[in-house]
Amino acid sequence: MTRIFWATLFAILMIGTAQAQQQGPTAWVQIEAQPSLAQARNSIRGYATRLEDVNGFSLGGGWYAIALGPYSPDDAARVLQVYRAEGVIPRDSYIADNNDYRQQFWPIGANFLTSPALVPTPPAPDTPPENAAIPDLPDPDPIDETPAEARASERTLTRKDRAELQEALKWAGFYDGGIDAAFGRGTRGAMARWQAAQGYQGTGILTTRQRAELLQDYNAVLADLGLDIVRDTEAGIEIKLPTDIVGFKKYEPPFAHYTPVGDVDARVLLISQRGDNNTLAGLYDIMQTLEIVPETGPRSLSDTAFTLIGESALVISHTQAWLQDGEIKGFTLIWPAGDEERRTRLLGEMQESFTRLDGALDPTAGNAGTQSIDLVSGLEIRKPRLSRSGFYVDGNGMVVTTADVVRDCRRITIDQDHEAEIAAQQDGLGIAVLRPLEALAPLAVATLQNAVPRLQSEIAVAGYSYGGILGAPTVTFGQLADLKGLDGESGINRLALNALDGDIGGPVVDAAGSVLGMLLPDGGNGRTLPEGVSFALDAGALRKVLEEAGIDPATPTASAPLQPEALTDHAKGMTVLVSCWD
């Protein structure tokens, strides 16, 4: 019964195909999608042993489809119904059309997406129905080459052709030798291993068709990028770029910006400026502050070049720049993480094609854009999630600050350049003690006042009022209003002082420069407080936390008031910017 059913189906499909070759759109039965070309090729070989008309196409985004066809729409519906019912194809198979697919990678050399005629449907059984229309079948594929013929065709390859085959074998994971264009024992062994993996006889001599298959696999990963030479005469750079992925947007010296034009969130910067090795080192430092360069990853700097790689869960950024004849030129490739096969191949093409042209980018080019202190040449500077103030409490660079600034941070820095870790923390008091990961030499260290301060005495708070924008702490003057909190809490001082959020965690000092406490966040507990009301954790509570952390805080040796300028310098010298980074 099954044989009769299939015979009827195939006969109908042949009639439909013959008609569809002259009229009607093309349809496909998509049966599978794989996230890499290697997986797709392995899977497609299995289907090809069981089914006719198996094809492979790129879908874009690193995915590859396996589809049956092409058929007329009616025939595709019949194939889908019958193959599903028989369990020959997955239940989630569906009908697709040409617009769903990009470049064809299987069969080798086929291109049914642009062919006006449909390929034949599965062959009819031995006894087709009488008078059934039988379409013309294409000529069978020619017999592949013998080893002697393969070796003869191999002798026509140029050195570049031979090197490219070695690169393709290395990319496929079968060759680990040097790219020397010499087919020695290592290369022959790699060819034999590749042949065996593809189901061919492992002769170690690739036939013309096998070479084409290997190179098609090697280059298919770049097929959707629109890789083409871009000659940017303003920047003085010629380079291969993925023109289907990025396009020119603007000049913001020293960068030419190429931004996304498709569905891949990728960017390219061409680097071009005049300068010397100091300029090169400055560019290297500045680029590490940019949002496009994640903080982790290998990097190196010499007098004439630098490489800067940043890696995160979302993107990988690769920058290279070279100093030559008074001009710094290079490029940055920013590519989504997880697409390593395409990224590394594209990076290699960009590196190999990079060519210096005459001239460098005019420093005044493209200055019509919006300017911002948060931008460098049109690129966002990496910013911390939260910044507050803190101050040194010993000569080794230990810092005390408010607990909220260090909560749930991936990274903590002191003055942005020095990483630190939490040495002790008292959430109940809202205080944290930080230990720098490298030895620091403070300009000044806090001395904790051990005497009871006088009410209404003059005090000052040092802090980064504006989160580090000004580059140095500011000092705000006020008075000590009370020795307890609003609800009578001990260990809390109330201040008559106009502080900002950035000042929180900074030292509260008396007229002699001794520390009376640490400025706290608003202690109103949901109440709206009058302007000029602030709170500080007093010196006694600070001392207890520091001693529990193994720090012996210094005490004042003199109580004579300082001149305002000297007091300001002393307070600023002990104050640091504490930043929390995601």
Side-chain angles (χ1 to χ4, degrees), residues 465-484:
S465 306
Y466 302 97
I469 291 176
L470 299 181
T474 58
V475 176
T476 305
F477 291 88
Q479 290 182 324
L480 178 62
D482 203 344
L483 297 178
K484 57 183 179 297

Side-chain angles (χ1 to χ4, degrees), residues 287-334:
M287 291 202 68
Q288 294 185 73
T289 71
L290 300 180
E291 192 69 35
I292 62 166
V293 182
E295 296 170 88
T296 58
R299 47 205 67 188
S300 63
L301 170 67
S302 69
D303 286 342
T304 58
F306 72 76
T307 298
L308 185 58
I309 301 173
E311 302 170 333
S312 74
L314 298 178
V315 300
I316 296 179
S317 173
H318 186 109
T319 301
Q320 287 183 268
W322 301 269
L323 170 62
Q324 182 179 318
D325 299 329
E327 294 178 343
I328 299 167
K329 294 185 180 181
F331 67 88
T332 297
L333 172 65
I334 304 121

Side-chain angles (χ1 to χ4, degrees), residues 202-335:
T203 64
I205 307 168
L206 298 182
T207 66
T208 299
R209 182 181 300 177
Q210 290 168 359
R211 293 196 298 268
E213 182 178 332
L214 172 62
L215 291 176
Q216 183 174 18
D217 286 356
Y218 177 61
N219 292 314
V221 70
L222 302 175
D224 300 331
L225 302 183
L227 201 60
D228 200 3
I229 287 289
V230 171
R231 187 180 178 88
D232 192 319
T233 55
E234 292 288 330
I237 293 173
E238 182 178 276
I239 188 173
K240 277 187 180 179
L241 292 183
T243 58
D244 287 350
I245 306 297
V246 299
F248 175 77
K249 178 67 178 291
K250 61 182 178 179
Y251 293 114
E252 288 276 358
F255 305 118
H257 293 250
Y258 289 76
T259 55
V261 296
D263 56 0
V264 178
D265 188 17
R267 299 169 69 182
V268 170
L269 303 174
L270 299 186
I271 302 169
S272 177
Q273 69 176 137
R274 295 177 179 86
D276 55 18
N277 55 355
N278 292 322
T279 313
L280 181 75
L283 178 63
Y284 174 78
D285 290 337
I286 289 172
M287 291 202 68
Q288 294 185 73
T289 71
L290 300 180
E291 192 69 35
I292 62 166
V293 182
E295 296 170 88
T296 58
R299 47 205 67 188
S300 63
L301 170 67
S302 69
D303 286 342
T304 58
F306 72 76
T307 298
L308 185 58
I309 301 173
E311 302 170 333
S312 74
L314 298 178
V315 300
I316 296 179
S317 173
H318 186 109
T319 301
Q320 287 183 268
W322 301 269
L323 170 62
Q324 182 179 318
D325 299 329
E327 294 178 343
I328 299 167
K329 294 185 180 181
F331 67 88
T332 297
L333 172 65
I334 304 121
W335 199 263

Side-chain angles (χ1 to χ4, degrees), residues 7 195 203 219 269 327 356 358 363 406 438 491 494 569-570 572:
Q195 288 172 318
T203 64
N219 292 314
L269 303 174
E327 294 178 343
R356 304 172 75 100
D358 291 339
V406 297
E438 58 182 316
R494 178 163 60 87
D569 290 342
H570 177 70
K572 285 183 175 181

Side-chain angles (χ1 to χ4, degrees), residues 402-549:
T402 181
D404 66 331
V405 71
V406 297
R407 187 171 294 116
D408 300 325
C409 302
R410 184 184 61 81
R411 188 169 70 99
I412 302 168
T413 60
I414 298 171
D415 289 340
Q416 294 191 334
D417 295 328
H418 311 291
E419 293 198 17
E421 62 184 2
I422 299 173
Q425 188 167 338
Q426 289 283 350
D427 287 330
L429 296 176
I431 185 173
V433 181
L434 305 181
R435 178 188 298 111
L437 300 186
E438 58 182 316
L440 301 180
L443 293 175
V445 174
T447 56
L448 299 189
Q449 181 60 267
N450 54 6
V452 178
R454 181 172 53 85
L455 289 176
Q456 304 304 313
S457 60
E458 297 296 322
I459 55 97
V461 170
Y464 285 81
S465 306
Y466 302 97
I469 291 176
L470 299 181
T474 58
V475 176
T476 305
F477 291 88
Q479 290 182 324
L480 178 62
D482 203 344
L483 297 178
K484 57 183 179 297
L486 289 176
D487 296 320
E489 310 98 307
S490 62
I492 301 292
N493 292 338
R494 178 163 60 87
L495 313 176
L497 178 136
N498 289 312
L500 299 178
D501 285 347
D503 295 316
I504 294 171
V508 180
V509 300
D510 63 16
S514 299
V515 173
L516 301 180
M518 181 190 74
L519 191 69
L520 292 174
D522 183 359
N525 296 323
R527 294 171 290 191
T528 301
L529 299 177
E531 185 178 354
V533 176
S534 299
F535 298 90
L537 186 69
D538 72 15
L542 274 175
R543 182 182 300 277
K544 182 178 180 181
V545 173
L546 293 175
E547 290 175 346
E548 290 176 353

